[in-house]
């Protein structure tokens, strides 16, 4: 013998033992291979019945429903509008097929031209088995959602929405496919592009706004001559005032001149002016005037000129100096930009002004996620959620309550300034005095006609009737809030996957919504033009966008809003802007009651009865 046998002679019986061991090893290998094949076979099989869970379809597209089974004699697929036989009838069908043999089948039913409101809903697969199988038949449902995923994608203006109908999600990309031919254009940023497509791709990539200045090669640039201005002006009532932008000599291309007026209440307004602006001094024209001059739209090299205009005060009635009085009533632009915050507001009429000051109309009914952070500070511990529940109040969509989930604590503020702390308990409030809520780290108080919720990561305000606000506590350092991995809800965006409009809980009956319901299409009345410019190019400080959309909804089809709706809208617009600019919510509104107690009693009368009101009124 050779090899091992040559070095270690075998004892009697050893060869027989080694043969047995070899057979055992071979048997184990065979069994193992069989198990692997069985596992693979099991993974590839369908069981009694298998179909999709959710299928997303674009309106107008063709689609199919697939139903698969390992034990099928007969398979039928029913649309949401079809009448599905009852249990007794299905059993009779199975019994009538007993003489047939079950097989592994895949049944596909094709449908054309998907139409929302007709073809969406639950499709039901019914598989009949043979006589030896229990149960005699099986059913499974597939939900078909007909939606244009890119309609509410929240992609930036120049971004390309790429929908994935397998997952119901979208991706905003800059995957432009530009033509190979050139048609030179010069942008207002003094950049030369081979064509408009290339300019749009560049806007998508860096987010810098550009427009076509001229066709062809850009002309040689000549810088404008600009005088820097930082001036206090005091004058008498009704005195004429003429302000210069500071543009001494224009350049090539022409300089962009933008005037913004910051009145004493801090809400900015664009002015239609160029080199100069003239007005008569009165209470409505006192404030700060900022002029931004840019050449080639270069924000980094922009010149910011500023005038602070105030009245000469009568020294017999004002102990403070004129300069002190002007400073106290006119906040500077730098003061406003130092502590801006990302703020989201639910306005009456179904309009959400998100954290980036973009207004969106939604069909809202019952409960929706307004904002949530599943991992605050990068940790999965102590996530927070804010739900908003909506109803129809004064014949328009209105926020009736805000529910807060902070770690393990739950509490809710409701219409009429009622606060529930869970298990039926109600929090008794005294105006201006905060009260802690469990171990949440949050406090609740009633002040300035709002329930004010103060939590570690955010503050929230509810007007007690139809509007609510959420202000993130982080100081807004960037113009746009970049959504984190754990951020969800309408205040961030509407990329809600299988939760249309971020709706949760009940979704049928009175809670049913239409994700494609358009905003009001009638002409917006002039008194609804409420949009105001951002402060110092910080887009999230733009005021009035959501309020303008809400005002349009309240006036839709020639309707007139009620007095409560007018007051709630004016109040929500002011509070939204003040929170963005880091200002107090204290203030008054022309469309509201002059006497606060009249408004307070009106609000509590519309909520659930409560013994201890959060205010004292005669």
């Amino acid at each position: 013998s050779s090899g091992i046998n040559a070095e270690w002679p075998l004892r009697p019986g050893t060869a027989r033992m080694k043969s047995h061991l070899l057979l055992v090893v071979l048997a184990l290998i065979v069994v193992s291979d069989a198990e692997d094949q069985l596992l693979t076979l099991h993974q590839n099989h369908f069981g009694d019945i298998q179909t999709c869970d959710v299928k997303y379809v674009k309106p107008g597209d063709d689609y199919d429903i697939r139903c698969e089974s390992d034990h099928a004699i007969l398979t039928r697929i029913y649309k949401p509008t079809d009448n599905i036989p009852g249990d007794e009838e299905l059993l009779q069908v199975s019994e009538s097929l007993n003489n047939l043999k079950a097989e592994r089948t895949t049944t596909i039913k094709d449908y054309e031209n998907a139409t929302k409101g007709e073809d969406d809903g639950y499709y039901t697969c019914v598989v009949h088995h043979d006589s030896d199988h229990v149960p005699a038949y099986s059913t499974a449902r597939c939900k078909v959602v007909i939606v244009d995923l890119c309609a509410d994608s929240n992609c930036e203006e120049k971004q390309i929405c790429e929908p994935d109908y397998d997952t119901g999600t979208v991706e905003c990309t800059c995957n432009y496919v530009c033509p190979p031919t050139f048609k030179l254009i010069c942008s207002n940023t003094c950049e030369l592009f081979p064509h408009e497509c290339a300019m749009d791709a560049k806007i998508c990539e860096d987010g810098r706004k550009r427009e076509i200045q001229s066709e062809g090669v850009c002309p040689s640039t000549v810088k404008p001559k600009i005088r820097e201005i930082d001036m206090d002006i005091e004058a008498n009532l009704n005195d004429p005032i003429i302000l210069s932008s500071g543009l001494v000599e224009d350049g090539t291309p022409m300089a962009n001149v933008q005037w913004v007026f910051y009145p004493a209440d801090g809400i900015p307004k664009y002015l239609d002016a160029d080199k100069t602006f003239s007005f008569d001094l009165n209470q409505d024209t006192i404030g700060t005037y900022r002029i931004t001059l840019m050449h080639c739209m270069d924000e980094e090299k922009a010149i910011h000129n500023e005038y602070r205009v105030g009245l000469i005060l009568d020294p017999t009635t004002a102990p403070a100096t004129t300069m002190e009085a002007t400073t106290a009533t006119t906040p500077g632009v730098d003061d406003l930009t130092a502590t801006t915050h990302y703020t989201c507001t639910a306005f009456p009429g179904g309009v959400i002004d998100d954290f980036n000051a973009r207004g969106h109309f939604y069909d809202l009914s019952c409960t929706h996620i307004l904002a949530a952070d599943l991992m605050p500070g990068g940790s999965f511990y102590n996530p927070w959620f804010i739900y908003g529940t909506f109803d129809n109040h004064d014949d328009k969509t209105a926020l009736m309550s805000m529910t807060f989930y902070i770690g393990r604590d739950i509490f809710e503020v409701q219409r009429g300034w009622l606060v529930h702390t869970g298990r039926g308990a109600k929090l008794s409030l005294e105006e201006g005095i905060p009260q802690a809520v469990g171990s949440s780290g949050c406090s609740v108080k009633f002040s300035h006609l709002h329930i004010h919720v103060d939590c570690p990561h955010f503050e929230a305000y509810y007007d007690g009737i139809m509007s609510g606000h959420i202000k993130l506590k982080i100081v807004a350092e960037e113009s746009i809030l970049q959504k984190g991995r754990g951020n969800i809800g309408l205040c961030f965006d509407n990329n809600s996957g299988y939760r249309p409009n971020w709706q949760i809980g009940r979704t049928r009956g009175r809670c049913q919504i239409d994700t494609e319901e358009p905003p009001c299409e009638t002409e917006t009345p002039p008194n609804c033009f409420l949009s105001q410019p951002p402060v110092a190019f910080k887009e999230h400080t733009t005021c009035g966008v959501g309020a303008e959309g809400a005002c349009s909804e309240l006036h839709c089809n020639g309707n007139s809003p009620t007095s409560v709706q007018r007051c709630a809208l004016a109040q929500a617009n002011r509070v939204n802007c003040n929170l963005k600019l880091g200002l107090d919510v204290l203030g008054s509104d022309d469309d509201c009651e002059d006497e606060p107690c009249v408004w307070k009693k009106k609000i509590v009368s519309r909520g659930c009865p409560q013994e201890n009101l959060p205010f004292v009124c005669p």
Side-chain angles (χ1 to χ4, degrees):
S1 61
S2 62
I4 293 179
N5 290 337
E7 294 182 14
W8 300 97
L10 299 178
R11 294 190 301 271
T14 302
R16 191 183 308 113
M17 292 174 59
K18 291 191 65 175
S19 298
H20 290 170
L21 287 172
L22 182 60
L23 290 173
V24 170
V25 171
L26 290 173
L28 290 174
I29 293 173
V30 171
V31 170
S32 178
D33 288 344
E35 289 178 343
D36 289 342
Q37 293 174 7
L38 184 61
L39 179 60
T40 302
L41 187 65
H42 176 73
Q43 290 173 341
N44 292 334
H45 278 212
F46 310 127
D48 288 348
I49 191 169
Q50 180 174 293
T51 188
C52 53
D53 292 325
V54 181
K55 191 179 190 73
Y56 295 92
V57 183
K58 185 177 180 179
D61 280 2
D62 298 338
Y63 62 103
D64 62 61
I65 299 297
R66 184 180 295 255
C67 188
E68 299 165 312
S69 175
D70 286 338
H71 312 282
I73 296 178
L74 175 67
T75 300
R76 286 177 176 168
I77 300 175
Y78 297 90
K79 286 187 64 174
T81 54
D82 294 339
N83 291 321
I84 303 174
D87 182 67
E88 185 175 343
E89 185 177 344
L90 291 174
L91 287 173
Q92 290 176 355
V93 172
S94 294
E95 290 173 359
S96 68
L97 302 171
N98 279 344
N99 59 330
L100 301 178
K101 182 180 179 181
E103 297 179 346
R104 185 169 185 260
T105 64
T106 296
T107 302
I108 303 173
K109 192 166 184 178
D110 295 317
Y111 299 91
E112 297 179 347
N113 189 23
T115 304
K116 186 172 179 61
E118 297 179 10
D119 299 321
D120 44 359
Y122 285 96
Y123 286 66
T124 303
C125 290
V126 178
V127 173
H128 294 275
H129 307 298
D130 55 28
S131 58
D132 296 331
H133 195 280
V134 177
Y137 68 89
S138 299
T139 63
R141 297 201 305 171
C142 173
K143 182 179 181 181
V144 172
V145 179
I146 300 175
V147 59
D148 185 348
L149 294 174
C150 287
D152 296 308
S153 66
N154 288 330
C155 289
E156 299 293 336
E157 182 180 356
K158 295 298 182 180
Q159 287 182 324
I160 298 172
C161 174
E162 296 186 0
D164 184 346
Y165 280 89
D166 290 334
T167 61
T169 59
V170 300
E171 183 179 1
C172 301
T173 72
C174 298
N175 298 328
Y176 277 77
V177 180
C178 292
T181 56
F182 283 9
K183 187 179 180 182
L184 298 178
I185 60 169
C186 181
S187 71
N188 59 350
T189 56
C190 303
E191 295 172 282
L192 180 65
F193 292 96
H195 33 55
E196 186 175 358
C197 177
M199 184 182 73
D200 290 343
K202 187 65 175 178
I203 296 171
C204 182
E205 290 170 4
D206 63 16
R208 186 182 179 188
K209 295 181 179 179
R210 294 171 176 85
E211 296 177 359
I212 298 176
Q213 183 78 23
S214 61
E215 294 184 355
V217 178
C218 294
S220 298
T221 59
V222 178
K223 291 185 178 181
K225 294 180 181 179
I226 300 173
R227 178 168 57 92
E228 295 189 13
I229 301 171
D230 186 9
M231 184 182 300
D232 290 298
I233 296 177
E234 294 176 351
N236 293 310
L237 191 65
N238 297 322
D239 278 355
I241 305 292
I242 300 177
L243 304 180
S244 169
S245 66
L247 182 62
V248 178
E249 185 178 329
D250 213 338
T252 305
M254 297 174 62
N256 178 271
V257 182
Q258 182 185 87
W259 290 71
V260 181
F261 172 48
Y262 299 86
D265 61 7
I267 301 178
K269 302 175 183 177
Y270 281 118
L271 299 178
D272 184 13
D274 190 16
K275 289 188 176 181
T276 61
F277 181 67
S278 304
F279 58 91
D280 292 334
L281 187 61
N282 55 49
Q283 293 295 334
D284 294 330
T285 56
I286 295 173
T288 299
Y289 294 78
R290 170 169 275 205
I291 309 99
T292 301
L293 301 100
M294 290 185 292
H295 188 234
C296 295
M297 301 305 291
D298 190 341
E299 295 182 8
E300 293 184 358
K301 296 181 180 179
I303 301 297
H304 301 285
N305 288 336
E306 185 173 305
Y307 296 93
R308 293 168 294 279
V309 180
L311 283 170
I312 296 176
L313 298 183
D314 185 350
T316 62
T317 60
T321 65
T322 303
M323 178 59 73
E324 290 172 336
T326 303
T327 303
T329 58
T330 309
V333 175
D334 291 337
D335 295 331
L336 291 176
T337 60
T339 56
T340 61
H341 291 271
Y342 302 115
T343 301
C344 174
T345 296
F347 282 97
V351 175
I352 302 292
D353 189 300
D354 68 22
F355 286 129
N356 286 321
R358 297 165 184 166
H360 308 273
F361 169 79
Y362 297 110
D363 184 18
L364 302 173
S365 182
C366 295
T367 305
H368 300 254
I369 302 175
L370 294 178
D373 193 344
L374 306 180
M375 44 188 301
S379 171
F380 287 99
Y381 294 100
N382 295 318
W384 57 265
F385 298 80
I386 304 176
Y387 293 173
T389 299
F390 296 82
D391 66 355
N392 194 286
H393 196 75
D394 282 0
D395 200 35
K396 293 292 181 181
T397 301
L399 181 66
M400 64 177 293
S401 68
M402 298 176 74
T403 308
F404 302 86
Y405 295 81
I406 315 295
R408 296 184 178 181
D409 289 273
I410 304 173
F411 59 97
E412 183 174 83
V413 296
Q414 299 179 349
R415 180 171 290 141
W417 297 314
L418 193 65
V419 181
H420 278 275
T421 58
R423 299 182 180 179
K426 298 178 182 178
L427 198 63
S428 181
L429 297 177
E430 295 182 43
E431 191 163 4
I433 301 176
Q435 291 196 36
V437 182
S439 59
S440 64
C442 301
S443 66
V444 178
K445 72 175 178 180
F446 175 74
S447 63
H448 306 320
L449 304 179
H450 285 76
I451 294 291
H452 177 203
V453 177
D454 190 353
C455 293
H457 298 286
F458 63 85
E459 293 180 56
Y461 296 79
Y462 180 53
D463 69 350
I465 185 70
M466 59 183 62
S467 296
H469 313 266
I470 303 169
K471 181 184 80 172
L472 299 183
K473 281 197 169 180
I474 56 173
V475 175
E477 297 180 353
E478 302 294 333
S479 176
I480 297 294
L481 174 64
Q482 301 298 329
K483 185 180 75 168
R485 289 182 299 168
N487 298 137
I488 60 175
L490 294 172
C491 286
F492 289 100
D493 57 37
N494 191 32
N495 294 332
S496 51
Y498 66 95
R499 295 188 184 277
N501 292 356
W502 280 115
Q503 188 181 43
I504 60 171
R506 185 176 177 181
T507 60
R508 292 185 172 273
R510 65 181 179 85
C511 298
Q512 188 168 351
I513 60 172
D514 181 0
T515 57
E516 294 187 1
E517 180 177 344
C520 180
E521 296 178 349
T522 56
E523 186 176 354
T524 302
N527 63 318
C528 287
F529 296 139
L530 302 172
S531 299
Q532 302 296 339
V535 175
F537 301 104
K538 289 189 173 183
E539 188 171 334
H540 68 273
T541 63
T542 304
C543 293
V545 176
E548 186 170 304
C551 184
S552 178
E553 292 298 324
L554 297 181
H555 285 85
C556 193
N557 297 323
N559 292 329
S560 296
T562 66
S563 60
V564 170
Q565 288 172 337
R566 288 197 303 271
C567 177
L569 175 60
Q571 185 175 252
N573 187 31
R574 172 179 55 80
V575 172
N576 168 269
C577 192
N578 284 5
L579 292 175
K580 289 176 179 177
L581 300 177
L583 303 175
D584 200 315
V585 300
L586 177 64
S588 59
D589 303 285
D590 293 338
D591 288 320
C592 296
E593 302 282 353
D594 292 332
E595 175 53 52
C597 275
V598 175
W599 178 254
K600 290 177 180 178
K601 291 178 180 179
K602 185 177 293 186
I603 296 304
V604 296
S605 70
R606 299 194 175 206
C608 293
Q610 49 183 315
E611 296 180 1
N612 301 311
L613 299 178
F615 55 83
V616 177
C617 280

